[in-house]
Amino acid sequence: MRVIELKGLILNAENWVKQLFGEDTSGHDFYHTDRVRKAARTIAEKEGADAELCELAALLHDAGDDKFHPSEEAGKQFVKRWLQKQEVTNETIEKLVDIIETVSFKGGNNRPPASLEARVVQDADRLDAIGAIGIARCFMFAGYKGEAMYHPELKPRDIITKEAYRQERSSAINHFYEKLLKLSELMTTETGKQMARERHQFLETFLHEFFAEWEGQR
Ligand code: ADP
Ligand code: NI
């Protein structure tokens, strides 16, 4: 009964976010959402989480992002209003909103430990920022913001392990150190951790190659 309820809703949500994200080129096109949704299903099935709920939350996870709304609260209400127009119980709405809040949550306040489903979707979203896709998104985003791909002026001695590395001006490569290289350690499900391992390795391989080529060493 509940699975049927969510299946119809998943289709509606897919159509809604396709319209919302349309031609976005800042890293939040529909395909980002679609990849998160597929990874969320993969993780949910392995972790024994509610796969339909995870898939639905993944589809909706960026619809209320504060990048597209005046505030986090406004974004949350936007998704909530859409859900209230669907044939879905209040209990399901509350669960979904809780997952989406966890995923877009920027840290700070004392939230209770997230549900398994929230952790699944959060891991799935983080996975899309690492590995080959993560690298592609990072350079797309930097281009979109008018940032450089790399500023060679400040060159760390050990580029891979240096934790404190910061560049004065932002660049795509800088973002690896600011965020991407840290994500694999932030995974909270076993399956997410496993999936992140190879993607993380790929980031390191990419950086080694990038700097070797930059110096004309290969
Ligand atoms: P999310 O999908 O978690 O909402 P963001 O909106 O923070 O992610 O970023 C979208 C994509 O752009 C991600 O892949 C992220 O790594 C990348 N990105 C974010 N900020 C920067 C930046 N300053 N430079 C390069 N890439 C960035
Ligand atoms: Ni996202």
Side-chain angles (χ1 to χ4, degrees):
M1 176 66 196
R2 216 190 114 269
V3 170
I4 292 169
E5 172 197 61
L6 291 189
K7 281 243 156 75
L9 196 54
I10 285 170
L11 210 64
N12 289 354
E14 179 176 339
N15 289 328
W16 186 52
V17 297
K18 258 186 195 156
Q19 279 176 10
L20 276 182
F21 296 128
E23 305 292 306
D24 179 280
T25 52
S26 71
H28 289 94
D29 54 17
F30 171 72
Y31 297 111
H32 162 64
T33 285
D34 199 43
R35 288 189 301 269
V36 175
R37 160 227 215 147
K38 286 186 275 189
R41 269 211 87 101
T42 304
I43 301 171
E45 279 159 15
K46 292 208 175 125
E47 296 285 323
D50 183 334
E52 267 76 32
L53 201 66
C54 289
E55 183 172 358
L56 189 51
L59 277 168
L60 299 173
H61 88 276
D62 266 343
D65 195 291
D66 63 355
K67 281 185 285 296
F68 311 111
H69 300 278
S71 65
E72 278 187 29
E73 185 57 29
K76 179 177 141 182
Q77 292 307 327
F78 178 71
V79 175
K80 217 168 167 174
R81 275 198 304 278
W82 183 82
L83 282 167
Q84 281 161 350
K85 282 188 244 153
Q86 309 296 312
E87 279 179 38
V88 60
T89 60
N90 281 337
E91 194 197 338
T92 303
I93 294 180
E94 290 311 317
K95 279 189 190 162
L96 284 167
V97 170
D98 182 68
I99 300 173
I100 295 163
E101 274 189 312
T102 305
V103 176
S104 61
F105 175 58
K106 306 280 186 308
N109 18 340
N110 292 319
R111 276 181 66 88
S115 65
L116 175 60
E117 283 72 20
R119 294 193 289 115
V120 165
V121 182
Q122 188 175 51
D123 279 4
D125 191 35
R126 287 175 168 164
L127 280 173
D128 207 50
I130 54 178
I133 297 271
I135 294 171
R137 289 181 77 211
C138 179
F139 283 93
M140 284 285 287
F141 188 95
Y144 173 79
K145 287 276 181 189
E147 287 174 0
M149 69 174 183
Y150 176 47
H151 288 300
E153 295 83 44
L154 280 170
K155 213 180 298 158
R157 254 159 283 135
D158 184 354
I159 200 79
I160 297 301
T161 55
K162 189 146 180 181
E163 271 282 313
Y165 171 52
R166 291 281 184 280
Q167 285 173 307
E168 277 155 10
R169 294 159 67 201
S170 196
S171 69
I173 293 291
N174 191 45
H175 190 63
F176 279 64
Y177 296 90
E178 294 278 350
K179 181 172 166 191
L180 309 192
L181 290 167
K182 295 174 182 167
L183 289 175
S184 70
E185 283 173 14
L186 298 179
M187 299 290 158
T188 64
T189 67
E190 266 318 302
T191 312
K193 279 181 201 164
Q194 269 172 30
M195 290 169 83
R197 213 164 288 142
E198 256 182 69
R199 295 186 190 216
H200 181 87
Q201 192 56 51
F202 195 76
L203 294 181
E204 298 204 340
T205 305
F206 174 84
L207 286 171
H208 274 299
E209 182 67 22
F210 184 96
F211 292 117
E213 290 182 14
W214 191 273
E215 297 302 334
Q217 290 166 354
R218 359 181 184 225

